[in-house]
Structures are given as structure tokens and as C-alpha cells.
Amino acid sequence: MTGSSDARTAELGERLAAVRRRLDAAVEAAHRPAGFCQLLVVTKFFPADDVRRLLQLGERAFGESREPEAGRKVAEVLGDWESPEPGDVPVFDMIGSVQSKKARSVARWARAVHSVDRPKVVDALDRAAVAALDEGERADPLGILLQVSLDGDPQRGGVVEEDLPALAERVVEADSLRLRGLMVIAPLDGEPGHWMAEAARIHEAFRGRFDAAELSAGMSGDMEEAVAAGSTCVRVGTAIMGDRPLISQ
Ligand SMILES: *Cc1c(COP(=O)(O)O)cnc(C)c1O
């Protein structure tokens, strides 16, 4: 188990502090209020003990991307979580793509899903969230961020801009989902600043039409550009956790 003074905790603490400094500086440079942009620490491929170390370091929001690894890890971490104050409970978001058949398990642990890009997945998550609410496995509707494709590449996923309003309507009409905003992953080619400006333009139009103000944009390599474009949530893995292990769990 984790001691507060082990070498890994020290390493995570240093990298976390560096990322928090980058984030604070970016928020300030963008003339946004402190705390405007949430940090989601992406712990995919890393063990439950690392999540516990990050909890000790004060983090409460995490991103996971694969079932069933994610569900198991969340159950393990929450199983021995002793909340310092009532209501101080860690939250886990699903940032990877969800297959319909995994929707039921995701709805048990995820605060929100950031990667929704198809009507079929909206329907599966709604059915799953209805069941999870009925069974007392969750207390609130499942948050939904629609992943937008910035370049139309089907590999990376995401709904193209033209199809976004219809997909958003479907979420709004669902019984147990709450539309929270948009998510983007910048394509690797070209300038991050260019893609983030494109995300900002799409987000602006979207917000004019839907009550869903969040923009999940920015990772280890493009946090600054994302915050400049109005990101409300950066998803940072490598810069905090280190390189992902080659062997998946
Ligand atoms: C893995 C992942 C991240 C984290 O990326 P890093 O470059 O390691 O910070 C962010 N978003 C999504 C959707 C991911 O799958």
C-alpha cells in the first residue's frame, strides 16, 4: 500500500505541482478567473495505488478510458476511501470511447462520459443510467460531453459539426442524461492553436443553442492552447503520471 512518503508519491507530487503551475499560468494569461478550468488527472493504465497517492496529494477528479479496467479500479479506490469531510468524494469521468455493451458498467461509476459521438451510444447510456438510478448505483443523471471531430478523421472518433445539433437534441430528450458540453482531441498534424481555435468557434455556436457550457479540451501537450480557447477541463495523463506502461492491464 501507499505511504505518504514513498518515492512514487514524491514523483507524482512534483509533476502534479508543475502541471498545476502551467494550468494556473494559462488561466491567468487567458484572463479567466482562478479555477475556471478543471484538471482531470488521467490515470488509465496506472494502478489503483497511484490514484490513492493522487488522493493524498489532494486531487479529486480523474479520467479513465477503458472498461472493465476502469470500473474495477474505481471500485477498489472507493472501497477504502475515507472521506476527510462529508461530501468530499472523488469523481471519475469516462474519457475513452464507450461500446454500447459496456454502457451499463460505465453508468455505475462515471460522473460523466466525454466521448459520446453516436446516437446508438446516447441511447445505450440513457438506458444504462436509468437502470443505475433505479438500482441506487448512482444519485444523479449521467453527464454527457459530445466529442466533436475537428478534421473528420473517423479513427479519432467524434461527431462532425453538421451532425452535432441532432445528437445534442437526443441527449437533451433522454431521461437520465444531462448534456454538459463538448469534448475535443486536437489532431496531431498542424498547430494545436489552430485546432483549439476551431474548437472554440464550434463551442461558441453550440452554447448559443444549448445550455451546456463545458469544453473538455487540452492534454499534456496542448493545455495552454486549450485554455486560451476557453477550455473548462483539461485531461492530463503523461505530464503527471509519466509514460504509460507498455503492458495493459
Ligand atoms: C489518454 C488520454 C488523455 C491524456 O493524454 P496525455 O497526452 O497523456 O496527457 C486525454 N484525453 C483522452 C481522450 C485520452 O484518451
Side-chain angles (χ1 to χ4, degrees):
M1 244 311 289
T2 61
S4 52
S5 59
D6 74 354
R8 176 66 172 156
T9 306
E11 175 186 59
L12 289 174
E14 275 167 31
R15 286 201 291 243
L16 179 62
V19 164
R20 285 240 167 245
R21 280 194 298 273
R22 275 174 69 189
L23 183 57
D24 289 349
V27 168
E28 201 182 321
H31 307 291
R32 310 275 181 185
F36 183 83
C37 185
Q38 179 176 45
L39 172 64
L40 207 61
V41 185
V42 177
T43 46
K44 66 183 181 200
F45 299 114
F46 287 91
D49 274 350
D50 274 353
V51 181
R52 295 190 179 102
R53 291 181 173 97
L54 290 158
L55 288 168
Q56 275 180 23
L57 292 164
E59 294 306 306
R60 293 292 183 270
F62 304 95
E64 283 286 336
S65 74
R66 300 193 331 165
E67 278 292 282
E69 175 205 343
R72 278 203 294 264
K73 202 189 301 181
V74 173
E76 205 184 315
V77 169
L78 293 182
D80 58 16
W81 169 247
E82 284 169 29
S83 151
E85 286 171 39
D88 181 11
V89 179
V91 292
F92 296 85
D93 283 358
M94 176 61 167
I95 62 172
S97 64
V98 179
Q99 297 163 273
S100 300
K101 63 177 192 235
K102 304 273 177 68
R104 188 67 183 90
S105 52
V106 170
R108 290 196 176 96
W109 62 264
R111 171 183 62 170
V113 180
H114 289 225
S115 43
V116 176
D117 62 358
R118 295 189 299 275
K120 195 177 157 204
V121 172
V122 171
D123 297 349
L125 286 172
D126 188 37
R127 280 193 304 275
V130 166
L133 286 164
D134 276 355
E135 304 285 320
E137 293 162 339
R138 61 180 307 118
D140 303 308
L142 180 61
I144 299 291
L145 289 91
L146 299 176
Q147 183 180 345
V148 180
S149 172
L150 296 175
D151 64 351
D153 176 2
Q155 275 306 106
R156 207 176 301 99
V159 58
V160 293
E161 193 180 353
E162 302 80 80
D163 297 339
L164 183 58
L167 192 63
E169 287 296 349
R170 205 170 179 109
V171 176
V172 169
E173 283 160 17
D175 291 326
S176 298
L177 304 179
R178 190 166 77 78
L179 183 65
R180 286 186 15 187
L182 302 181
M183 184 272 238
V184 296
I185 301 174
L188 287 174
D189 61 313
E191 287 292 311
H194 161 76
W195 294 120
M196 291 301 173
E198 185 64 0
R201 179 188 65 73
I202 296 170
H203 186 226
E204 199 55 39
F206 184 77
R207 287 182 57 184
R209 208 161 150 184
F210 296 96
D211 179 21
E214 292 179 42
L215 177 62
S216 167
M219 321 202 303
S220 293
D222 57 8
M223 277 171 58
E224 285 80 5
E225 289 86 354
V227 171
S231 173
T232 62
C233 176
V234 290
R235 310 174 308 269
V236 180
T238 315
I240 297 169
M241 308 306 293
D243 289 329
R244 284 184 271 282
L246 289 173
I247 300 162
S248 63
Q249 307 165 32

